[in-house]
Amino acid sequence: MNLPAEAFRPIAEVEAPLGIDNLEPWPDGFVGREAELARLDAAVSGGGPVVVAAVHGLGGVGKSSLAAYWAGTREHGCAPIIWIRADSLTAVEQGLAAFATRLQPALAEALPVEELAERGLQWLASHTGWLLILDNVEHPADIAKVRARARGGRVLITGRLAVPWQAEATVICLDVLLPGEAEQLLTGLATATGPRDLDGVPELCAALGYLPLAIEQAGAYLAHQRFTTPAAYLRLLTENLDRAAAGADPHRTIARIWRVTLDRIAETEPAAVELLATLAWYAPDAIPLSLCRGPDETDQAGTDAALGALAAYSMITLDPSTHTVSIHRLVQAVSRTPDPTDPHRSAETIELAHTRACLHLDANLPDYTDPRTWPSWRTLLPHIEALTSHTPSGANHDTTVRIASIRNRAGQFLSDQGLHTNALDHLRKALTDFERVLGTDHPDTLISRNNLAAAYDTAGRTTEAIPLYEATLADRRRVLDDDHPDTLLSRNNLAVAYDAVGRTAEAIPLYEATLTDSERVLGTNHPHTEAFRDKLAIARERQASR
């Protein structure tokens, strides 16, 4: 591949163009948090890392919203603003790579993820004045390299209080809203379209534990059901469920709201309920609209109506500028958790949603060998990681095979991009599932084993690749016969591996036999035959020079 001139430009000379900020949106009617905002003003100006941490591991408390609101409304003087989802090392690499492509779009289809991520990190290390927001950090080790090298700007981190943060970090603890703030937020949302009966606002806020996410979703419901008072809504919540005390578990609180809201949505847009259950299996942020539709779906108007209904009730957030959808992690967790008393969360319903998510994602995976598809792959990788990691161990036969296929293709792309650890993890798990479900002799199993061997080879671990190549060749000879094109490729792969580790004396006879059979089976001018001929010539030259 011929690299564009931008690839050779020293990164220290690259200036950030205007308009590359990717700050996440904050909720409409953001209220309160004055003390936390003031602490952020003081802490970020101090120069050290700042952590916005939820107390007690609380979800839905508004860590990300506070960070986004502060970055988007306060006079901090930092530019550009870089927002990176940082709940895993892979997500951090993806975020750095995405930043690098915003800096230099010409490199999006020219460099692999690993090199783009390094380029993004080099830019941070060689420039000053930027603001980096690392959102939802689960393990400080995932951002250690960024923290060590990116020293010229300001770093804002969101995470949980239970995480062991560095001593140098300023930790700002974030709890639920104060009662008055929660009531202000609920009132503002409920009256967005005009005055209304607000009977029961304090009681509803208390029942929701003053949790911002819960208040927002309840407010969205009330805004669209103008004749439902807060008191009536509270009765809906408790009608068939035990009433939760103030400060109740966030998962249970969201589950109660979720049930009432979906009951209402299902009356007019039942497809929206299915769509929400499907979205629960992907990463929470930047879900492409293509994953919202099935591979053969032609009813775009229906999908758009479903998305609109979910957005109207604050179940999801739409971003028309990027054609993506986001959903809160807590809403996803509730959606994936079976509850026999909830018709929207029966075990069968959740399994069907998981199957749809697999089908949609599998249908959207492009040809990784075409550099033009690399940006699409980078967009899909977080959703591949989420779907495969959340897939239950007892998934049915077809789902297991599809997940293994997704892992197999993702592993090949990651290996090609130089992300060897993740590639090997996906490919090992794919092979395990193929062997368990399809058997060791199935063609897909043989392909999977060959791909794993190739990934070890690409990672420089050829001695670990050789036993896999040998096993694959033996099985293909037995199952497919010695002249099958796949068998010829396996023979060549093994010869290349032997040659790479200095076993040229073993490689040459294998090259010779493979070339002879390829000329007979495929023809003397076939691309594979020509490649086999070239590799044999190189091996003979190498042996003669010793």
Side-chain angles (χ1 to χ4, degrees):
M1 178 189 298
N2 294 322
L3 295 177
E6 284 288 293
F8 302 99
R9 186 179 175 190
I11 194 66
E13 298 178 5
V14 176
E15 294 301 324
L18 295 175
I20 70 164
D21 294 355
N22 66 325
L23 184 63
E24 290 287 304
W26 56 88
D28 292 336
F30 187 93
V31 301
R33 306 302 196 190
E34 293 301 329
E36 291 86 354
L37 290 167
R39 288 197 64 197
L40 275 172
D41 289 337
V44 174
S45 64
V50 179
V51 177
V52 176
V55 298
H56 313 306
L58 194 61
V61 77
K63 303 182 297 296
S64 303
S65 296
L66 177 66
Y69 183 80
W70 178 86
T73 62
R74 309 295 267 207
E75 295 292 335
H76 48 70
C78 298
I81 300 173
I82 307 111
W83 185 289
I84 291 179
R85 183 175 65 86
D87 55 2
S88 68
L89 184 59
T90 299
V92 173
E93 290 177 332
Q94 291 293 320
L96 288 169
F99 171 58
T101 60
R102 293 197 300 278
L103 286 170
Q104 297 176 287
L107 303 184
E109 298 174 8
L111 296 181
V113 171
E114 185 179 39
E115 294 180 29
L116 285 171
E118 173 61 24
R119 198 163 179 84
L121 186 52
Q122 286 178 3
W123 191 94
L124 294 174
S126 58
H127 290 76
T128 60
W130 41 261
L131 173 63
L132 175 63
I133 301 173
L134 298 167
D135 186 39
N136 200 44
V137 174
E138 294 285 341
H139 305 288
D142 293 339
I143 61 171
K145 184 166 67 171
V146 177
R147 289 289 307 117
R149 293 175 57 185
R151 295 285 185 174
R154 298 289 184 261
V155 178
L156 178 56
I157 301 164
T158 73
R160 293 177 295 111
L161 190 61
V163 172
W165 300 108
Q166 296 173 327
E168 63 180 292
T170 299
V171 179
I172 298 175
C173 298
L174 198 63
D175 208 332
V176 296
L177 293 169
L178 296 173
E181 294 172 344
E183 292 168 20
Q184 180 187 350
L185 176 58
L186 181 60
T187 299
L189 293 170
T191 59
T193 55
R196 62 177 301 147
D197 186 346
L198 295 173
D199 175 48
V201 165
E203 293 79 8
L204 177 56
C205 289
L208 297 178
Y210 307 112
L211 187 70
L213 177 63
I215 301 295
E216 290 163 13
Q217 294 193 343
Y221 183 98
L222 292 171
H224 286 271
Q225 302 298 324
R226 292 189 48 75
F227 294 106
T228 300
T229 66
Y233 179 81
L234 179 56
R235 287 193 294 272
L236 285 174
L237 288 182
T238 58
E239 196 169 68
N240 297 310
L241 301 161
D242 294 333
R243 182 166 182 169
D249 172 63
H251 189 283
R252 186 174 177 222
T253 300
I254 293 301
R256 300 166 73 223
I257 295 173
W258 192 91
R259 169 74 179 273
V260 171
T261 299
L262 289 193
D263 282 347
R264 176 65 67 181
I265 293 175
E267 294 176 2
T268 56
E269 291 291 343
V273 179
E274 293 184 358
L275 178 56
L276 185 70
T278 303
L279 297 178
W281 293 98
Y282 300 133
D285 303 315
I287 304 171
L289 288 181
S290 58
L291 293 184
C292 299
R293 304 185 177 100
D296 301 319
E297 188 171 331
T298 57
D299 184 14
Q300 181 174 340
T303 301
D304 290 347
L307 290 168
L310 293 174
Y313 284 88
S314 290
M315 302 299 280
I316 62 172
T317 301
L318 302 176
D319 187 349
S321 65
T322 60
H323 302 287
T324 61
V325 177
S326 296
I327 176 173
H328 198 281
R329 292 171 179 82
L330 194 53
V331 174
Q332 288 184 305
V334 170
S335 300
R336 294 193 305 267
T337 304
D339 181 350
T341 67
D342 186 342
H344 308 301
R345 292 193 290 146
S346 68
E348 181 182 5
T349 297
I350 290 175
E351 183 179 359
L352 287 173
H354 180 258
T355 299
R356 285 195 302 272
C358 293
L359 286 168
H360 294 189
L361 184 54
D362 191 31
N364 274 274
L365 296 182
D367 176 9
Y368 78 93
T369 62
D370 183 351
R372 292 173 297 180
T373 70
W374 290 358
S376 295
W377 268 102
R378 294 178 194 126
T379 298
L380 292 171
L381 275 178
H383 307 295
I384 293 171
E385 295 290 341
L387 177 63
T388 55
S389 64
H390 289 307
T391 295
S393 57
N396 62 48
H397 175 281
D398 290 346
T399 296
T400 300
V401 170
R402 196 170 298 278
I403 285 290
S405 175
I406 291 171
R407 283 192 181 279
N408 188 57
R409 296 168 69 185
Q412 289 178 284
F413 171 74
L414 290 165
S415 178
D416 187 65
Q417 296 284 300
L419 301 173
H420 302 302
T421 300
N422 288 343
L424 290 169
D425 180 61
H426 276 298
L427 290 167
R428 280 192 292 260
K429 289 174 179 176
L431 178 58
T432 298
D433 284 344
F434 277 135
E435 288 180 334
R436 176 172 58 85
V437 176
L438 300 180
T440 57
D441 291 347
H442 192 280
D444 288 348
T445 305
L446 299 178
I447 291 171
S448 177
R449 189 183 302 122
N450 183 75
N451 291 342
L452 177 58
Y456 275 119
D457 210 353
T458 302
R461 298 165 63 175
T462 307
T463 55
E464 295 172 81
I466 286 175
L468 291 166
Y469 279 138
E470 290 174 333
T472 303
L473 175 57
D475 287 343
R476 279 180 166 167
R477 278 176 160 159
R478 177 173 51 80
V479 175
L480 302 177
D481 78 44
D482 217 39
D483 289 343
H484 192 281
D486 287 351
T487 307
L488 294 175
L489 285 174
S490 280
R491 291 161 66 181
N492 176 74
N493 291 341
L494 181 57
V496 171
Y498 282 158
D499 200 11
V501 297
R503 296 166 61 177
T504 308
E506 296 173 77
I508 288 177
L510 191 52
Y511 275 135
E512 291 173 336
T514 303
L515 176 59
T516 298
D517 290 342
S518 184
E519 289 176 335
R520 174 174 52 81
V521 175
L522 302 178
T524 57
N525 296 323
H526 191 279
H528 288 174
T529 304
E530 293 178 350
F532 299 158
R533 189 179 297 117
D534 291 342
K535 290 174 181 176
L536 173 59
I538 293 171
R540 284 172 171 168
E541 289 177 7
R542 185 180 294 112
Q543 187 180 53
S545 65
R546 289 174 180 168

